[in-house]
Amino acid sequence: MTNQRSALPAAVLTAASMLLNAAWLWAVQLGSVPASLGVMVALLAVLCRIFQLSKTHAPRSRAEALLSDGMFGLYLGWICVATLANVAAVLAWAGLVLPAEPASVVVLCVAALVGISLAFRRSWAPLLSIAWGLAWIAVARSSGPLVLPMTALTAGTAAAAVVAAGLLLAGPRTLHRTEHA
């Protein structure tokens, strides 16, 4: 019975994350930048709670750990980067943003700090997803229709910092544990 009770909040939150993802897509299709950010923040909060629950309840198997940490962790990391991008979009939409490059640098530094903080918690899936998102921004802003050199450099540096923090904080104890698991 305890497993059923502990699974209920996760199941409800998982359903909420799916509905919020659909609502976010709808807001984007309607072109509502502020609504898109509001839904994204709610989705981020739900995913943070799901991830927190996954860290407090021991998985019953490696497969369950991989699915819960992997799936929701990657989703959480992606939503972190997407939420920050949406914040920048809303600020630009409202005319309350600094010039594009300085604003981008600030947003990317915040994303790097989130990724590095996850490295301290040894939360690998969201850390990797944040690093991937930052690397993608670096590539996108170094070529194509909107080249922003400082943004590209900052995003690349932020991605490297997140990966380096993850590798440095993995340490011999974590690596040793995975070798003998």
Side-chain angles (χ1 to χ4, degrees):
M1 185 78 173
T2 304
N3 285 342
Q4 288 176 339
R5 264 195 220 138
S6 65
L8 183 60
V12 169
L13 290 168
T14 299
S17 75
M18 289 183 223
L19 292 172
L20 286 166
N21 192 48
W24 176 71
L25 291 171
W26 187 49
V28 168
Q29 289 299 316
L30 292 175
S32 177
V33 177
S36 141
L37 177 61
V39 173
M40 185 69 74
V41 168
L43 179 56
L44 179 61
V46 167
L47 290 173
C48 284
R49 181 66 180 134
I50 291 171
F51 200 69
Q52 180 185 31
L53 285 173
S54 77
K55 292 296 187 186
T56 59
H57 298 342
R60 290 174 281 182
S61 67
R62 283 182 188 240
E64 183 180 325
L66 180 62
L67 285 173
S68 66
D69 286 353
M71 181 177 68
F72 284 109
L74 291 172
Y75 193 17
L76 174 60
W78 180 83
I79 292 298
C80 285
V81 174
T83 300
L84 289 167
N86 275 9
V87 166
V90 167
L91 291 174
W93 173 83
L96 301 172
V97 71
L98 301 168
E101 289 267 73
S104 297
V105 167
V106 169
V107 167
L108 293 167
C109 288
V110 170
L113 290 173
V114 170
I116 291 167
S117 73
L118 288 166
F120 279 99
R121 297 189 63 195
R122 290 175 169 62
S123 297
W124 309 117
L127 178 145
L128 291 173
S129 186
I130 288 171
W132 173 82
L134 291 168
W136 181 84
I137 291 168
V139 170
R141 293 300 164 249
S142 61
S143 62
L146 186 56
V147 173
L148 297 170
M150 184 56 70
T151 298
L153 177 64
T154 303
T157 303
V162 169
V163 170
L167 291 172
L168 288 172
L169 292 169
R173 194 177 112 194
T174 302
L175 296 175
H176 179 73
R177 185 174 58 231
T178 57
E179 287 173 2
H180 295 317

